[in-house]
Amino acid sequence: MQPAVYRILDANLDRAREGLRVIEEWCRFGLNHAEFTEQCKHLRQELATWHHSDLRSARNTPDDPGTGLTHANEATRGTIAHVLQANFCRVEEALRVLEEYGKVYRQDLTEAVKHMRYQVYTLESQLITQHRHQKLHQAMLYLITSPSETVFETVEAALKGGLTLVQYRDKDADDLTRLNHARALRRMCHEYGALFIVNDRIDLALAVDADGVHLGQHDFPVELARQMLGSQRIIGRSTHNGDDLYRAIQEGADYVGVGPVYETPTKAGRPAAGLDCVRHALEQCPIPWFAIGGIDANTVHDVLAAGAQRVSVVRAIMQAEQPTLAVQYFMAQLDQKRRSQMGQKFAKQDSITDPWM
Ligand SMILES: Cc1ncc(COP(=O)(O)OP(=O)(O)O)c(N)n1
Ligand SMILES: Cc1nc(C(=O)O)sc1CCOP(=O)(O)O
Ligand SMILES: [Mg+2]
């Protein structure tokens, strides 16, 4: 067999193992996820069993013209998601190379590596889902866009303020405009490590590879959306009363909007559900829920006092003179609320468990 094949197999076993190690470190230290960590480790170890001395001894790094070649993208990876994506790509490519050249080395290597490649695809999909849900649970502030000449500048300014969840909502634009706007916003959100959700339209969410879709009571049912979107993507549902809320949870929504807390020109004609809907959600809702409708710098305190831990806004950010500052203001209020709740929780636990008190 040609020595080049040994070198190809050696290089790609290394490449796949290194990529897996990068992914494993995030599963272990970033996600504290024992199962994913174990899966990466297992795959690495299995690859190691194929890295025989005949392949290792073919290595000739000084004469390898590929060692000096790098791509500009390798130097800059904006977010953890980019790091993971690049390394999954690396592992999958390396496994494919092993599979193909393995055919002229040992058929059993080809079989084993093919099986591993499918395991890596599954792991990638599980990690994407996990990453999305973790970000959703962490998000306290949710911006819904409104049509504006400066929509991109406003959303970017909001992302600079630390926003991590954005919904693209435009009820009037034509489909081509929606497609272009959604594409650009999705790219921008992902550059800043934020989730990107599309309002109403499952087809548009799929077309731009959004993180999910938001559906109202008159949009597609959640079950059907789940069939179309799969388990990887987030599905949000609007709720306006206790029945809507109960149903959305039963149907498997990942999060809900709860409102309108106050009447709002953004959703003219819809009567306010009031702070009672916030109190009800606090008691009854086990999934992330965002109070919505008429929430701004003046009303947010009452909404938080009624029990909301997450809020969603349109005008308060889209029409703010300084969206970055507006986001920082909301985040500070939400964070203060979270800290005081954690303090209360620990104080309660201490009072129960501290034997010296
Ligand atoms: C987070 C969130 N909550 C509620 C809504 C409203 O959805 P819907 O009732 O479908 O109304 P439209 O937004 O489609 O006019 C939302 N978009 N986001
Ligand atoms: C889009 C939307 N849905 C609502 C609901 O209650 O389902 S309230 C709302 C508009 C919220 O806009 P603003 O922050 O400008 O009041
Ligand atoms: Mg809708």
Side-chain angles (χ1 to χ4, degrees):
M1 196 178 58
Q2 291 208 33
V5 174
Y6 285 85
R7 289 178 67 194
I8 291 169
L9 295 175
D10 171 57
N12 283 282
L13 280 164
D14 264 346
R15 198 169 286 147
R17 289 168 67 185
E18 284 164 12
L20 280 166
R21 176 61 105 166
V22 174
I23 297 162
E24 184 179 325
E25 297 301 64
W26 180 251
C27 295
R28 181 175 168 193
F29 298 110
L31 300 176
N32 296 315
H33 202 295
E35 196 189 315
F36 292 164
T37 309
E38 193 50 47
Q39 280 182 40
C40 293
K41 192 171 163 190
H42 181 76
L43 286 163
R44 272 195 309 110
Q45 285 171 343
E46 198 177 338
L47 283 171
T49 64
W50 287 99
H51 217 158
H52 303 143
S53 56
D54 56 341
L55 301 180
R56 285 179 190 283
S57 58
R59 190 171 305 178
N60 182 3
T61 312
D63 288 343
D64 180 353
T67 52
L69 302 177
T70 52
H71 190 276
N73 286 351
E74 288 179 20
T76 52
R77 305 231 193 272
T79 62
I80 301 294
H82 290 137
V83 172
L84 293 174
Q85 202 177 34
N87 279 281
F88 268 112
C89 212
R90 194 175 180 202
V91 174
E92 285 153 8
E93 279 176 9
L95 291 176
R96 174 56 96 171
V97 174
L98 289 168
E99 198 177 318
E100 293 301 321
Y101 286 93
K103 290 175 187 168
V104 289
Y105 172 68
R106 283 178 57 165
Q107 188 58 30
D108 48 354
L109 171 65
T110 294
E111 299 295 326
V113 158
K114 185 175 178 182
H115 183 60
M116 278 186 246
R117 194 159 51 81
Y118 288 120
Q119 285 179 303
V120 172
Y121 289 142
T122 308
L123 179 66
E124 184 176 12
S125 140
Q126 287 171 328
L127 255 171
I128 292 172
T129 309
Q130 153 89 21
H131 177 75
R132 280 187 177 138
H133 281 85
Q134 192 181 43
K135 290 227 84 138
L136 173 66
H137 279 256
Q138 286 165 349
M140 300 289 143
L141 178 63
Y142 188 178
L143 169 64
I144 304 176
T145 65
S146 52
S148 144
E149 298 265 291
T150 55
V151 65
F152 300 115
E153 288 84 345
T154 306
V155 172
E156 182 152 30
L159 291 166
K160 284 188 175 151
L163 182 75
T164 58
L165 184 56
V166 175
Q167 181 188 129
Y168 171 58
R169 177 178 183 269
D170 189 335
K171 310 293 279 189
D172 302 319
D174 59 72
D175 273 3
L176 193 57
T177 306
R178 283 199 187 109
L179 181 65
N180 290 332
H181 283 196
R183 260 197 197 129
L185 286 172
R186 177 234 182 235
R187 198 173 314 119
M188 186 189 285
C189 288
H190 286 189
E191 267 164 28
Y192 282 86
L195 292 176
F196 178 69
I197 307 287
V198 168
N199 184 44
D200 289 344
R201 296 279 296 269
I202 297 170
D203 55 347
L204 185 58
L206 283 168
V208 302
D209 193 18
D211 295 297
V213 73
H214 184 92
L215 302 169
Q217 289 294 319
H218 299 290
D219 299 320
F220 267 32
V222 174
E223 293 103 322
L224 187 56
R226 183 66 74 201
Q227 279 175 29
M228 296 164 85
L229 290 167
S231 58
Q232 271 196 27
R233 280 178 234 269
I234 292 168
I235 300 178
R237 186 68 141 180
S238 310
T239 69
H240 310 298
N241 53 51
D243 287 348
D244 290 350
L245 182 64
Y246 178 79
R247 246 182 295 113
I249 298 164
Q250 296 302 311
E251 287 167 0
D254 295 305
Y255 76 86
V256 286
V258 171
V261 183
Y262 304 103
E263 273 186 23
T264 164
T266 315
K267 198 79 192 151
R270 180 166 282 289
L275 287 169
D276 277 348
C277 72
V278 174
R279 297 189 190 100
H280 180 80
L282 179 66
E283 291 294 319
Q284 303 294 331
C285 193
I287 58 175
W289 56 275
F290 294 82
I292 183 170
I295 300 175
D296 58 24
N298 297 317
T299 56
V300 69
H301 302 103
D302 288 344
V303 178
L304 298 186
Q309 290 153 5
R310 298 178 174 86
V311 298
S312 181
V313 302
V314 181
R315 287 165 305 147
I317 293 175
M318 291 308 293
Q319 292 178 14
E321 275 186 25
Q322 301 197 57
T324 307
L325 292 184
V327 167
Q328 287 169 344
Y329 176 79
F330 279 117
M331 302 271 272
Q333 305 306 311
L334 288 156
D335 202 46
Q336 200 177 13
K337 157 96 184 185
R338 192 178 57 89
R339 282 171 195 277
S340 76
Q341 269 179 340
M342 274 167 53
Q344 278 168 17
K345 196 170 150 196
F346 287 126
K348 225 180 190 171
Q349 278 176 359
D350 285 350
S351 68
I352 297 164
T353 56
D354 189 344
W356 303 106
M357 285 187 65

